[in-house]
Amino acid sequence: MVSFYAGALPKLSLTTRRIFLGQSTLAVAGAVLPAWAPAHPHAAAGFAAAGAPAGKAVANVNPDTLARFVDPLPLPLLARPQGSRPVPGAAHARAPHYRVSAGRIEAKLHRDLPPTTLWSYGGVVPGVMFDVRSGEGLSVEWVNELPQKHFLPIDHTLHGAEPGVPEGRTVVHLHGAKVPPQSDGYPEDWYPPGQSRTYYYPNEQDAALLWYHDHAMGINRLNIYAGLAGLYVIRDAKEAALRLPGGRYEIPLMICDRDLRLDGQLSYPVSADPARPWVPEVFGELHLVNGRIFPYLEVEPRRYRLRLLNAANGRFYRLSLPDGIEMHQIGTDQGLLPAPVPVRYLLLAPGERADLIIDFASHRGARIVLASDAFQLMEFRVGRAAVDDPSELPSTLRPIERLAESSAVQTRRLTLDESQNLVAESTGMLLNKTPWHAPVTEKPVLDTTEIWDLVNLTDDVHPIHLHLVRFQVLDRRRFDAFDFLTAGKLRYLGPAMAPEPNELGWKDTVRVNSHTVTRIIVPFAGYTGRYVWHCHILEHEDNEMMRPYEVLPAGAVPRAGG
Ligand code: C2O
Ligand code: CU
Ligand code: CU
C-alpha cells in the first residue's frame, strides 16, 4: 500500500503535475471515451480545431465557435406551494407544502446548439426557485423521478458508489440552511427512483441566498453536473427596510461551467483508467448563467442587485466588469455584510454566494460584459432612456458582532490532505487523514462555540463547507507544509492575515488556501444530530474529502477525541 504522503514528498509543482495529468490523459485519448459517448466522426478534427487544452479526450464544443449574447438570460422559475401541511412537532400550526420532482429534461443551452439532456428539479435548470420569509417554515416533498441508469461516468471504486447501488439515487441538501438532521440530506439518506422524501425547512435564520442540490454519496459531482441544483432565497424585515433594488431589479445568477460534446450532450471528463474514471477536478470550457451560454440581459440605467452563486463542480470564478464600472458587495453566503465593500474582482469558490449592487445609471446605452478572467460570461445591455431609481446603496447594512476567540470552548486542528500515487497523480483527498466511514471524531456540543484550524497541506485551494451552521473567518496564516509533513511541526512563515473585507460577514463556505492555516469560529446552534462538513470541490467531496460530524445535546460531556 502506498502510504499517504509517499507521493507527496518528492512532489512536482502544481503546474507540473496538472500538465503531467493532462498529457497522460491525452496520450490515451482513444481509450478513454466513456461507454455512453458515441465515437464522433469529426472527433479528431474537432479536437484539434477546438484548440482544447491537453486532457480533453472527447471532442467538445469550442466556445469560440458560438455566437455571443444571442440568448436572453433566463430567470429562475418560482416554486409554488400546493396547499399546506401540519408543522412537525407543533400542535396546530400548518406550513406551505411544495412538491418538487427530480427528473430528466431536454434543454437548449444556446440558440445554436441542439437540446441537451439534463437532470432537473421541477423541469427547469436552474431548478425551481424558492422565495420565502425568515421564520416561516415550509415542507417539500422531493420526488425522485430520475432514470434508473446514470448517463455520466460513475466510478464504482468510490465509497458509496459500489456496483449494485441504484444509479438513479438522489437526496436533497439545502446548502446554508439551519435544519433538523432528518431534513438535511445526509449523503447516505439517498433513495432510488420511484420514491420521495418530505423535508421540513424552518427558515429560522437571517435573510440570505441559499441553494439546494443533490448530495448522494459517491455520485454527487455527477448529479450536480447533470443539473440537480436550484436557488432558495430567504428574506426578512431588516433587509426589506434597506430599500435595496428589488423585484425585477434583483437578479439571481447561478454560474457554472460545463463541457458539451458536438452533439450538444454533456461531456464529463474521465481519467485514463476505465476502471477508475474519477478525475480530481473538472473545468468546463462553457459557462452557463442561469442555464444559458453567453446570455444577455436588458437592464435599465439604474441600480441592480445581483445575487450570485458559484454552482460549478471545481472552478473558482474571478468575476469582473470593465474599468469604470463599480461593483459593491453587500452580502455573502449567510446574508448581508456590515457595510458595502467595493470590489474590483470578485473571487467566488464553488458553493460560495455573493450579493452585489451595480449601478448602470451613468452607462446609458452601453453593453457591459461580466467576465471571469479571460472568459466572457454574459452581457448587460443598458437602456438609453433615463429612469427614476428609488433604491439605495446604504452606507451600513447591519451590525455584525465579531465573535471573540475567548468564547470558544475548544480548538480543533484539522488537516486537508491529498493522497497521490507514485507518479504524483491525485488518488483522492481526505479531511484529517480520515475516510468518510471512520467513526465520528468531531462532536461539538449544542450552543457552544469552537475554533477550527483548517491546515491545508495540499497544493490546491479547498472551499470548506459545514452543514447546519454559519461561522466567521478569523484569519489565514502561511506555514511550512514540508516541516508539518515530515516532523509534524506547525511552523508559520509569516503573520496571520485578516480575512478579506468581503469575508467579514457570516459564511458557510470558506476558501482554505494552499499551505495555509485558515481559522474559523463556529457557534453550533440549532439542532443536535448528525451532519457533514466537506470540501465543495465536488470531485474532492465524492472522493473522501467529506466527514460526518455530530452535534451533542447541551450539557453533554464530549468523549475523548470528541
Ligand atoms: Cu452545498 Cu454539503 O453542500
Ligand atoms: Cu450545505
Ligand atoms: Cu477540495
Side-chain angles (χ1 to χ4, degrees):
M1 195 183 125
V2 178
S3 92
F4 192 72
Y5 296 117
L9 293 179
K11 197 187 264 281
L12 303 167
S13 76
L14 172 66
T15 337
T16 320
R17 181 163 62 90
R18 293 285 175 261
I19 290 169
F20 177 85
L21 278 172
Q23 287 170 344
S24 64
T25 312
L26 181 61
V28 287
V32 297
L33 284 172
W36 46 265
H40 198 282
H42 306 300
F47 186 42
K56 290 282 161 39
V58 183
N60 288 326
V61 173
N62 173 358
D64 296 339
T65 63
L66 290 177
R68 296 189 182 200
F69 317 127
V70 294
D71 292 279
L73 176 81
L75 294 176
L77 197 71
L78 270 192
R80 297 267 170 225
Q82 303 174 352
S84 65
R85 289 275 177 93
V87 173
H92 303 295
R94 294 183 72 84
H97 181 72
Y98 295 72
R99 189 172 194 275
V100 177
S101 295
R104 183 181 187 275
I105 62 163
E106 307 276 312
K108 287 276 280 184
L109 305 186
H110 184 275
R111 182 193 69 188
D112 300 331
L113 289 175
T116 303
T117 297
L118 297 170
W119 287 4
S120 123
Y121 291 114
V124 282
V125 166
V128 285
M129 184 171 97
F130 292 78
D131 195 330
V132 308
R133 294 193 60 84
S134 173
E136 297 177 8
L138 60 89
S139 59
V140 186
E141 181 185 4
W142 295 106
V143 187
N144 183 352
E145 289 176 0
L146 296 172
Q148 301 285 345
K149 290 295 287 175
H150 217 296
F151 68 117
L152 298 176
I154 294 182
D155 186 328
H156 291 291
T157 68
L158 296 186
H159 183 73
E162 294 78 12
V165 180
E167 294 189 359
R169 65 187 180 279
T170 187
V171 60
V172 180
H173 167 63
L174 179 52
H175 178 132
K178 192 161 121 186
V179 305
Q182 57 280 10
S183 292
D184 193 52
Y186 197 66
E188 290 171 348
D189 287 348
W190 55 262
Y191 45 97
Q195 293 190 17
S196 71
R197 296 289 182 272
T198 298
Y199 280 0
Y200 183 71
Y201 301 120
N203 299 322
E204 276 162 10
Q205 57 189 97
D206 293 349
L209 174 65
L210 315 185
W211 62 303
Y212 62 94
H213 57 74
D214 173 83
H215 221 301
M217 195 77 204
I219 53 169
N220 172 51
R221 69 195 185 292
L222 305 176
N223 286 356
I224 293 179
Y225 197 84
L228 291 179
L231 299 170
Y232 191 109
V233 182
I234 300 182
R235 304 186 184 278
D236 64 18
K238 282 192 207 132
E239 186 190 276
L242 288 176
R243 300 160 54 94
L244 298 167
R248 27 193 262 271
Y249 307 110
E250 177 185 342
I251 310 289
L253 298 174
M254 181 195 276
I255 303 176
C256 62
D257 57 343
R258 295 290 183 271
D259 277 328
L260 295 177
R261 300 188 329 231
L262 299 180
D263 63 1
Q265 299 310 306
L266 285 179
S267 168
Y268 184 93
V270 290
S271 76
D273 179 357
R276 311 195 72 221
W278 177 84
V279 292
E281 274 116 14
V282 170
F283 302 110
E285 287 193 83
L286 304 170
H287 303 280
L288 274 62
V289 185
N290 293 348
R292 215 53 68 95
I293 301 163
F294 297 130
Y296 70 86
L297 178 68
E298 285 177 355
V299 294
E300 296 172 17
R302 52 158 290 157
R303 275 182 213 95
Y304 276 73
R305 180 179 184 187
L306 305 181
R307 313 200 66 178
L308 289 90
L309 158 69
N310 181 350
N313 281 39
R315 184 183 290 277
F316 289 59
Y317 281 100
R318 209 166 75 105
L319 302 167
S320 63
L321 292 171
D323 282 350
I325 302 177
E326 283 206 300
M327 300 194 274
H328 282 93
Q329 187 169 350
I330 58 165
T332 178
D333 305 339
Q334 287 285 324
L336 294 172
L337 286 159
V341 175
V343 281
R344 284 275 299 131
Y345 293 95
L346 174 64
L347 184 61
L348 216 51
E352 282 190 307
R353 286 89 73 208
D355 205 340
L356 294 182
I357 302 285
I358 296 175
D359 193 349
F360 296 109
S362 49
H363 305 283
R364 284 154 63 182
R367 294 185 167 209
I368 295 169
V369 173
L370 176 68
S372 176
D373 291 321
F375 307 108
Q376 296 191 323
L377 300 182
M378 68 172 289
E379 182 183 70
F380 296 99
R381 296 185 182 165
V382 189
R384 289 179 190 281
V387 295
D388 265 2
D389 185 357
S391 75
E392 282 172 12
L393 175 61
S395 54
T396 59
L397 298 160
R398 64 160 168 174
I400 294 182
E401 203 192 318
R402 297 298 293 166
L403 300 177
E405 287 184 39
S406 58
S407 66
V409 300
Q410 157 145 226
T411 297
R412 296 175 195 272
R413 178 186 287 179
L414 301 155
T415 57
L416 278 48
D417 323 279
E418 178 169 13
S419 43
Q420 299 183 329
N421 63 19
L422 292 169
V423 287
E425 290 170 326
S426 176
T427 54
M429 318 281 160
L430 289 174
L431 294 172
N432 224 24
K433 288 184 246 154
T434 315
W436 164 258
H437 61 267
V440 180
T441 40
E442 283 63 59
K443 295 179 185 172
V445 174
L446 185 66
D447 296 327
T448 68
T449 296
E450 297 193 353
I451 293 173
W452 286 21
D453 292 358
L454 302 165
V455 181
N456 186 351
L457 296 167
T458 79
D459 292 337
D460 292 322
V461 186
H462 301 275
I464 296 295
H465 169 53
L466 278 68
H467 286 205
L468 175 69
V469 294
R470 59 180 190 173
F471 54 75
Q472 294 178 0
V473 183
L474 288 173
D475 51 31
R476 295 188 173 90
R477 198 165 181 188
R478 303 257 312 146
F479 70 99
D480 190 307
F482 186 83
D483 270 15
F484 192 94
L485 289 168
T486 50
K489 271 196 322 233
L490 191 55
R491 188 166 65 82
Y492 289 110
L493 297 175
M497 294 167 293
E500 300 294 324
N502 62 354
E503 292 179 309
L504 291 173
W506 289 102
K507 298 277 294 165
D508 59 43
T509 305
V510 63
R511 295 183 302 272
V512 180
N513 296 339
S514 171
H515 301 173
T516 295
V517 178
T518 299
R519 298 194 308 142
I520 57 173
I521 184 164
V522 195
F524 288 88
Y527 305 92
T528 58
R530 188 69 66 89
Y531 294 91
V532 303
W533 67 289
H534 59 84
C535 176
H536 222 289
I537 293 174
L538 303 178
E539 285 63 35
H540 298 181
E541 175 183 351
D542 263 348
N543 198 354
E544 302 280 332
M545 202 170 199
M546 175 166 73
R547 284 284 294 154
Y549 81 89
E550 186 177 350
V551 182
L552 300 178
V557 181
R559 282 176 297 266

